[in-house]
Amino acid sequence: RVVDLLAHYKMNVLHLHLTDSEGWRAEVPGHPELTGAEPGGWYSTADLTGLVGYARARQVTVVPELDAPGHVATLLRACPWLADETVRALPCGLQYLDPDRPGVADLLRDAYAAFAAASPGARLHVGGDEAAGMPPEAFARFMALALPLARAAAGAGVVAWQETARSGAFAPGDVCQWWVSPLLAERAAGTEDLAALEPERRAFVEMLRHAPGDVPAALAQGASVLVSRCDLLYLDTCYPEPSVDVGQPGRVARLGLPPDDYGNGTVAEAYAWDPLDAGVPADRVAGVEAAMWGPALLDPDDLFVMLLPRLPGIAEKGWSGSRTWPGYADRLRAQAPVWDAMGWDWYRSTVVWG
């Protein structure tokens, strides 16, 4: 259903964030422990291969992600030998994968090979974000290990979150995914008395304070930039405007973060941006990517009500550049019968239909 939606609006990449602290969601042959530790389900190799084929037939490339060295609590529960007791005793958000630990390189190599085989010819996403509890030297060693392994498995460049630039491991042909908005970085810079924060929060604030240097560093290392800023392109936030369906706002409040967390605006405000108006040279912009994180989603209808009507505007910005809201609003309203015919739930924003 998601691939059909992407194809309908000419969005040509589906990035699947397959591993995180909440679960490991894809089979790796020879490592049954990875998919056996957590509830929630996972894709078999046949599942993933079938999805990739379905997407390819609709001109959509599937990019699989193994997120590391942070976001690995599930991995360390399944494979405790990959970290010492000190690391495993840290809060979930501060655990990390040590590149010097025996078995880490072998696991990465096997997982990258499995993901590359399921989606041949695609880039691999190696993660690299929010390794807030990890010593910088260890982070640099990890990314220096991971990126060459992923390039070798995929036979192509890799994608990694923006913090990877701090390791110096990007190379020409790689893609840096820019997610930290100026607002988040400014909030972190303005946070006083870091010592008063609990350890996990303090580590994340310190991590965000370095964000303004990431994209310039990635460009200097030869990478291009995938614009995925959370204030413009993260769709796991509530709509700030009401719905013409009075029951919808309460439901959406269960599904998304408060808009102020990322600085997101209404459907109209979310359209008022230009992918090239971000200080990145036009020839170094790889594209745009919307993100939808799903811990609160219970079924496909939950997902689609968060995607629609916002996703088509992101597709249009990616393909058509700067256009104005009034003309777009008329075209957006005309899409609702299509969504109904496809069985896709959607948010009846008063900004569009009020």
Side-chain angles (χ1 to χ4, degrees), residues 232-255:
L232 301 172
L233 293 157
Y234 273 35
L235 303 181
D236 59 331
T237 51
C238 300
Y239 295 85
E241 73 269 28
S243 168
V244 296
D245 179 342
V246 295
Q248 277 194 314
R251 174 190 175 193
V252 169
R254 170 179 65 82
L255 303 177

Side-chain angles (χ1 to χ4, degrees), residues 123-173:
R123 295 175 181 271
L124 292 180
H125 201 305
V126 301
D129 65 318
E130 297 185 333
M134 192 172 190
E137 300 81 8
F139 177 76
R141 291 197 304 276
F142 183 93
M143 301 315 294
L145 168 70
L147 268 70
L149 288 176
R151 291 188 197 108
V158 300
V159 191
W161 297 100
Q162 68 178 75
E163 294 95 315
T164 301
R166 304 174 198 181
S167 71
F170 277 127

Side-chain angles (χ1 to χ4, degrees), residues 28-124:
V28 176
H31 294 272
E33 69 279 4
L34 295 175
T35 49
E38 301 292 322
W42 45 275
Y43 294 103
S44 69
T45 299
D47 291 334
L48 197 54
T49 300
L51 175 62
V52 168
Y54 185 93
R56 184 184 294 117
R58 289 152 183 82
Q59 312 303 317
V60 176
T61 298
V62 175
V63 171
E65 178 184 357
L66 188 171
D67 197 3
H71 294 274
V72 292
T74 284
L75 172 59
L76 295 184
R77 283 192 291 272
C79 307
W81 56 88
L82 294 180
D84 62 34
E85 291 183 7
T86 303
V87 171
R88 286 187 279 113
L90 292 170
C92 175
L94 299 182
Q95 295 178 25
Y96 60 88
L97 204 56
D98 186 338
D100 304 322
R101 190 79 177 179
V104 167
D106 291 337
L107 174 69
L108 293 177
R109 190 178 292 109
D110 291 348
Y112 292 154
F115 288 3
S119 191
R123 295 175 181 271
L124 292 180

